[in-house]
Structures are given as C-alpha cells and as structure tokens.
Amino acid sequence: MPSSSPRTRIDLHCHSTASDGVDTPTEVVARAARLGVQVLALTDHDTLEGRAEAAAAAARHGVRLVPGAELSGVVDDLGVHVVSYFFDEHDPEIVALLARARSSRVDRARAMVDRLAVDHPITWDDVLAQTGGATRTVGRPHLADALVAHGVVPDRESAFAGVLHRSSPYYVATPQTDAVRLVEVVRAAGGVPVLAHPFASLRGRLLHDGQIERLAAAGLAGLEAWHPQHRPDEVARARALADRLGLVATGSSDYHGAVRPCEIGQCTTPVEVLAEIEAQAGPPRTPPPCAPPVRAAAEGDG
Ligand code: AMP
Ligand code: ZN
Ligand code: FE
Ligand code: FE
C-alpha cells in the first residue's frame, strides 16, 4: 500500500436538484465535505446544469470536484446509464446529445402522465411543480414525487415498485442514444465513460457480458462495481468482468438525497483507479473562454 496517510475518500457518482436528486448542488458538496469525502463527481442525468454551483461550493469546502454527468443510452432495447468524466463540455456532439436526451425525457414523461391521468390524479403541472424549474432533467422520480404529493403512493420506492415500474401499463420508454455511439462521442470529446450499476438486478433486466464487451470495444473505460444496489456477488461479477476486459472498476454511492437508503461516500473509488481515469482523459479540445491566444502563449512573441 502506498502510504500511511489517511485514505482519500472518492465518490464519483451523485445527483442534485439539477436532475432527480433532492439536495441542491451546494448541499450535496457540503454534505460530502461533512462526511469526509475529499473528491466528488456530481453526475446529474443528461445535464451539466449543477456544475457551476457545485464548483463554487467545492472551492469553499475544499472538496475536489471531478467533472462528470450520467448519460442515458440504450443497448439493443435495454436502457443503460454511462457515468462520464472529464469530457469537453463545449464539444458540439456532447451539447447535442445532452439537449436531445433532455427533450426526449420531457416527451416521455408527458406520455406517462397522459397514461397515468386516466386512473390517477396527476397532471403535467404537478410534475413541473416537482422539478421546480424547466432546466432540470425530468425523470420518473419527479412523477413519483407528484404521485406522493397526491397520496397515490407513500414514497418513491413504492411508485417504482408499482405504477412506474417498467412492466406497468403506464410505463413509456425514453428514446435513447445508442450506447456504443454515446461511448464514442464521450471518448471523442476527451471523456472517460464508465457503465453505471451494470449488475443491479433489482432494477430489472441486465446486459449480458457480450453486450458489455461491445461497449468495451467502442471505448468504455470502466464498470461501476461498488454500488449500493449491487449485492456482494454482483460487485464480484463486475470486478471479474472489468478485469477480464481490461477495464477499471469504480465505486460510488449514486446518492439522490434522503429519498433512498444510501449516503455519500457509502461506496468509494480507489485513488489509483481515479488516477487511471485521469490518465485516460484527453486534453480539453475547446480552450476556456478567457485563455490567451495559443500562438502568443506558445512562442512568447507578444
Ligand atoms: P428514468 O430515467 O426517468 O426512467 O428514471 C430512472 C431514475 O429513477 C434513475 O435516476 C434512478 O436512479 C431512479 N430510480 C430507479 N429505481 C428507483 C427506485 N426503486 N426508487 C427510487 N428511484 C429509483
Ligand atoms: Zn437518478
Ligand atoms: Fe443510473
Ligand atoms: Fe445515478
């Protein structure tokens, strides 16, 4: 082991009110700091909306923020999540991908509300009241919160187990980007894509190894192995597959707030795994807006 210094606690997957978490980006970062998590990635679904606020809070709390997002994709007919780090947020393909993902989510959520409204007291305005603003990435958790507000179900978990479940007649799938293309776009933008909760069987059907191999061939960098919804055998399966495919194995909490029995830093990523992810990240392709002209900086002739 490298040193006797206190172990760096690294959590590379959590959510805020920018998508379907219940804490603001500021609250998420403050909570991480309080829990002794030194490195945190705020990975809201299909949006970078919470990033600036999180960065400001991270600077105040001395937390290092790893830039990332959890991107929605599909393999064959199965929806998957790819937590992606260090990509160039101004990359036009990334920008288009995020915009498309968010607008498909709105269309899909409206379609689910139309179906639910036949039998339950729920309107699109109720859902908007739960997202608190049009800029947030909408998802089933907001539908769940609207149903809870109307007393249809007691909590998010019950909503997911029943009316919002994939097998429910009210369920509508979101059209998603093919995950192979998603992985390629992230890599082309200098990013490092990791398959989120690949073996969380409680969520339903899983990818088979062959499908994960296809993602690996396209440039997938890692598998999230330690995750609150992975049983010990599922952690082991993810680690073994990552090993076999030459991928890194990460660990993260997927914190969404007090709505789930999970805490920031509950699962963590080894420091050497983060180092490997950083080593694989490309240089940002878009210069920051205030950078000096490259020629003057490089040649010193100004
Ligand atoms: P969607 O992307 O709209 O289909 O909704 C998926 C979101 O719901 C993801 O953010 C999951 O983290 C969350 N989710 C999945 N299963 C559950 C559950 N059983 N209870 C609460 N949230 C869940
Ligand atoms: Zn979520
Ligand atoms: Fe996810
Ligand atoms: Fe997540």
Side-chain angles (χ1 to χ4, degrees), residues 179-206:
V180 163
R181 173 160 157 72
L182 197 152
V183 161
E184 289 169 352
V185 167
V186 169
R187 281 290 194 183
V192 184
V194 173
L195 187 62
H197 42 74
F199 296 125
S201 55
L202 70 83
R203 289 172 179 243
R205 216 148 46 86
L206 301 174

CSV table of all heavy atoms in Angstrom, one decimal, residues 179-206:
chain,number,residue,atom,x,y,z
A,179,ALA,N,-25.9,3.3,-27.0
A,179,ALA,CA,-24.8,3.4,-26.1
A,179,ALA,C,-23.4,3.3,-26.7
A,179,ALA,O,-22.4,3.9,-26.2
A,179,ALA,CB,-24.9,2.4,-24.9
A,180,VAL,N,-23.3,2.5,-27.8
A,180,VAL,CA,-22.0,2.4,-28.5
A,180,VAL,C,-21.6,3.8,-29.0
A,180,VAL,O,-20.5,4.3,-28.8
A,180,VAL,CB,-22.0,1.4,-29.6
A,180,VAL,CG1,-20.9,1.6,-30.6
A,180,VAL,CG2,-22.0,0.0,-29.1
A,181,ARG,N,-22.6,4.5,-29.6
A,181,ARG,CA,-22.3,5.9,-30.1
A,181,ARG,C,-22.0,6.8,-28.9
A,181,ARG,O,-21.1,7.7,-29.0
A,181,ARG,CB,-23.5,6.3,-30.9
A,181,ARG,CG,-23.4,7.7,-31.3
A,181,ARG,CD,-24.2,8.2,-32.5
A,181,ARG,NE,-24.4,9.6,-32.4
A,181,ARG,CZ,-23.5,10.5,-32.7
A,181,ARG,NH1,-22.3,10.1,-33.0
A,181,ARG,NH2,-23.7,11.8,-32.5
A,182,LEU,N,-22.8,6.6,-27.9
A,182,LEU,CA,-22.6,7.5,-26.7
A,182,LEU,C,-21.1,7.4,-26.2
A,182,LEU,O,-20.5,8.4,-25.9
A,182,LEU,CB,-23.6,7.1,-25.6
A,182,LEU,CG,-23.9,8.0,-24.5
A,182,LEU,CD1,-25.3,7.7,-24.0
A,182,LEU,CD2,-22.9,7.8,-23.4
A,183,VAL,N,-20.7,6.2,-26.1
A,183,VAL,CA,-19.3,5.9,-25.6
A,183,VAL,C,-18.3,6.6,-26.6
A,183,VAL,O,-17.3,7.2,-26.2
A,183,VAL,CB,-19.0,4.4,-25.5
A,183,VAL,CG1,-17.6,4.0,-25.5
A,183,VAL,CG2,-19.8,3.8,-24.2
A,184,GLU,N,-18.6,6.4,-27.9
A,184,GLU,CA,-17.7,7.0,-28.9
A,184,GLU,C,-17.7,8.5,-28.8
A,184,GLU,O,-16.6,9.2,-28.9
A,184,GLU,CB,-18.1,6.6,-30.3
A,184,GLU,CG,-17.8,5.1,-30.5
A,184,GLU,CD,-18.4,4.6,-31.8
A,184,GLU,OE1,-19.3,5.3,-32.5
A,184,GLU,OE2,-18.1,3.4,-32.2
A,185,VAL,N,-18.8,9.1,-28.6
A,185,VAL,CA,-18.9,10.6,-28.5
A,185,VAL,C,-18.2,11.1,-27.3
A,185,VAL,O,-17.4,12.1,-27.3
A,185,VAL,CB,-20.4,11.1,-28.5
A,185,VAL,CG1,-20.5,12.5,-28.1
A,185,VAL,CG2,-21.1,10.8,-29.8
A,186,VAL,N,-18.3,10.4,-26.1
A,186,VAL,CA,-17.6,10.8,-24.9
A,186,VAL,C,-16.1,10.7,-25.1
A,186,VAL,O,-15.4,11.7,-24.8
A,186,VAL,CB,-18.1,9.9,-23.7
A,186,VAL,CG1,-17.2,10.1,-22.5
A,186,VAL,CG2,-19.5,10.2,-23.4
A,187,ARG,N,-15.7,9.6,-25.7
A,187,ARG,CA,-14.2,9.5,-26.0
A,187,ARG,C,-13.7,10.6,-26.9
A,187,ARG,O,-12.6,11.2,-26.7
A,187,ARG,CB,-13.9,8.1,-26.5
A,187,ARG,CG,-13.9,7.0,-25.5
A,187,ARG,CD,-12.7,7.1,-24.6
A,187,ARG,NE,-12.5,5.8,-23.9
A,187,ARG,CZ,-11.6,5.6,-23.0
A,187,ARG,NH1,-10.7,6.6,-22.7
A,187,ARG,NH2,-11.5,4.5,-22.3
A,188,ALA,N,-14.5,10.8,-28.0
A,188,ALA,CA,-14.0,11.8,-28.9
A,188,ALA,C,-14.0,13.2,-28.3
A,188,ALA,O,-13.2,14.1,-28.7
A,188,ALA,CB,-15.0,11.9,-30.1
A,189,ALA,N,-14.7,13.4,-27.2
A,189,ALA,CA,-14.7,14.7,-26.5
A,189,ALA,C,-13.7,14.7,-25.4
A,189,ALA,O,-13.7,15.5,-24.5
A,189,ALA,CB,-16.1,15.1,-26.0
A,190,GLY,N,-12.8,13.7,-25.4
A,190,GLY,CA,-11.7,13.6,-24.4
A,190,GLY,C,-12.2,13.0,-23.0
A,190,GLY,O,-11.5,13.1,-22.0
A,191,GLY,N,-13.4,12.4,-23.0
A,191,GLY,CA,-14.0,12.0,-21.8
A,191,GLY,C,-13.7,10.5,-21.5
A,191,GLY,O,-13.2,9.8,-22.4
A,192,VAL,N,-14.1,10.1,-20.3
A,192,VAL,CA,-13.8,8.7,-19.9
A,192,VAL,C,-15.2,8.1,-19.4
A,192,VAL,O,-15.7,8.5,-18.4
A,192,VAL,CB,-12.8,8.7,-18.7
A,192,VAL,CG1,-12.5,7.2,-18.3
A,192,VAL,CG2,-11.5,9.4,-19.2
A,193,PRO,N,-15.7,7.1,-20.2
A,193,PRO,CA,-17.1,6.6,-19.9
A,193,PRO,C,-17.0,5.3,-19.1
A,193,PRO,O,-16.2,4.4,-19.4
A,193,PRO,CB,-17.6,6.3,-21.3
A,193,PRO,CG,-16.4,6.1,-22.2
A,193,PRO,CD,-15.2,6.7,-21.6
A,194,VAL,N,-17.9,5.3,-18.1
A,194,VAL,CA,-17.9,4.1,-17.1
A,194,VAL,C,-19.4,3.7,-17.1
A,194,VAL,O,-20.3,4.5,-16.8
A,194,VAL,CB,-17.4,4.5,-15.7
A,194,VAL,CG1,-17.7,3.4,-14.7
A,194,VAL,CG2,-16.0,4.9,-15.8
A,195,LEU,N,-19.6,2.4,-17.2
A,195,LEU,CA,-21.0,1.9,-17.2
A,195,LEU,C,-21.5,1.8,-15.7
A,195,LEU,O,-20.9,1.2,-14.9
A,195,LEU,CB,-21.0,0.5,-17.8
A,195,LEU,CG,-22.4,-0.2,-18.0
A,195,LEU,CD1,-23.3,0.6,-18.9
A,195,LEU,CD2,-22.3,-1.6,-18.5
A,196,ALA,N,-22.6,2.6,-15.5
A,196,ALA,CA,-23.2,2.7,-14.1
A,196,ALA,C,-23.9,1.4,-13.7
A,196,ALA,O,-24.6,0.8,-14.6
A,196,ALA,CB,-24.1,3.9,-14.1
A,197,HIS,N,-23.8,1.1,-12.5
A,197,HIS,CA,-24.6,0.0,-11.9
A,197,HIS,C,-24.9,-1.2,-12.8
A,197,HIS,O,-26.1,-1.5,-13.1
A,197,HIS,CB,-25.8,0.5,-11.2
A,197,HIS,CG,-26.6,1.6,-11.9
A,197,HIS,ND1,-27.4,1.3,-13.1
A,197,HIS,CD2,-26.7,2.9,-11.8
A,197,HIS,CE1,-27.9,2.4,-13.5
A,197,HIS,NE2,-27.5,3.4,-12.8
A,198,PRO,N,-23.9,-1.8,-13.5
A,198,PRO,CA,-24.2,-2.7,-14.6
A,198,PRO,C,-25.0,-4.0,-14.1
A,198,PRO,O,-25.7,-4.6,-14.9
A,198,PRO,CB,-22.8,-3.1,-15.1
A,198,PRO,CG,-21.9,-2.8,-14.0
A,198,PRO,CD,-22.5,-1.6,-13.3
A,199,PHE,N,-24.8,-4.4,-12.8
A,199,PHE,CA,-25.4,-5.6,-12.4
A,199,PHE,C,-26.4,-5.5,-11.3
A,199,PHE,O,-26.7,-6.4,-10.5
A,199,PHE,CB,-24.3,-6.6,-12.0
A,199,PHE,CG,-23.4,-7.0,-13.1
A,199,PHE,CD1,-22.0,-6.8,-13.0
A,199,PHE,CD2,-23.9,-7.5,-14.3
A,199,PHE,CE1,-21.2,-7.1,-14.1
A,199,PHE,CE2,-23.1,-7.8,-15.4
A,199,PHE,CZ,-21.8,-7.6,-15.3
A,200,ALA,N,-27.0,-4.3,-11.2
A,200,ALA,CA,-28.1,-4.0,-10.2
A,200,ALA,C,-29.4,-4.7,-10.6
A,200,ALA,O,-30.3,-4.1,-11.2
A,200,ALA,CB,-28.3,-2.5,-10.0
A,201,SER,N,-29.5,-6.0,-10.2
A,201,SER,CA,-30.6,-6.8,-10.7
A,201,SER,C,-31.9,-6.4,-10.2
A,201,SER,O,-32.9,-6.6,-10.8
A,201,SER,CB,-30.3,-8.3,-10.4
A,201,SER,OG,-30.1,-8.4,-9.0
A,202,LEU,N,-31.9,-5.6,-9.1
A,202,LEU,CA,-33.2,-5.2,-8.6
A,202,LEU,C,-33.9,-4.2,-9.5
A,202,LEU,O,-35.1,-3.9,-9.4
A,202,LEU,CB,-33.0,-4.6,-7.1
A,202,LEU,CG,-32.3,-3.3,-6.9
A,202,LEU,CD1,-33.2,-2.1,-7.0
A,202,LEU,CD2,-31.8,-3.3,-5.4
A,203,ARG,N,-33.1,-3.6,-10.4
A,203,ARG,CA,-33.7,-2.6,-11.4
A,203,ARG,C,-34.3,-3.4,-12.5
A,203,ARG,O,-35.0,-2.7,-13.4
A,203,ARG,CB,-32.6,-1.7,-11.9
A,203,ARG,CG,-32.1,-0.7,-10.9
A,203,ARG,CD,-30.9,0.0,-11.5
A,203,ARG,NE,-30.4,1.0,-10.5
A,203,ARG,CZ,-30.4,2.3,-10.8
A,203,ARG,NH1,-30.8,2.8,-11.9
A,203,ARG,NH2,-29.9,3.1,-9.8
A,204,GLY,N,-34.1,-4.7,-12.6
A,204,GLY,CA,-34.8,-5.4,-13.7
A,204,GLY,C,-33.7,-6.1,-14.6
A,204,GLY,O,-32.6,-6.5,-14.1
A,205,ARG,N,-34.0,-6.2,-15.9
A,205,ARG,CA,-33.2,-7.0,-16.8
A,205,ARG,C,-31.8,-6.3,-16.9
A,205,ARG,O,-31.7,-5.1,-16.8
A,205,ARG,CB,-33.8,-6.9,-18.2
A,205,ARG,CG,-33.7,-8.1,-19.1
A,205,ARG,CD,-35.0,-8.2,-20.0
A,205,ARG,NE,-35.4,-7.0,-20.6
A,205,ARG,CZ,-34.9,-6.5,-21.8
A,205,ARG,NH1,-33.9,-7.2,-22.4
A,205,ARG,NH2,-35.4,-5.4,-22.3
A,206,LEU,N,-30.8,-7.2,-17.1
A,206,LEU,CA,-29.4,-6.7,-17.2
A,206,LEU,C,-28.8,-6.9,-18.5
A,206,LEU,O,-29.3,-7.8,-19.3
A,206,LEU,CB,-28.5,-7.4,-16.1
A,206,LEU,CG,-29.0,-7.3,-14.7
A,206,LEU,CD1,-28.1,-8.2,-13.8
A,206,LEU,CD2,-28.9,-5.8,-14.2
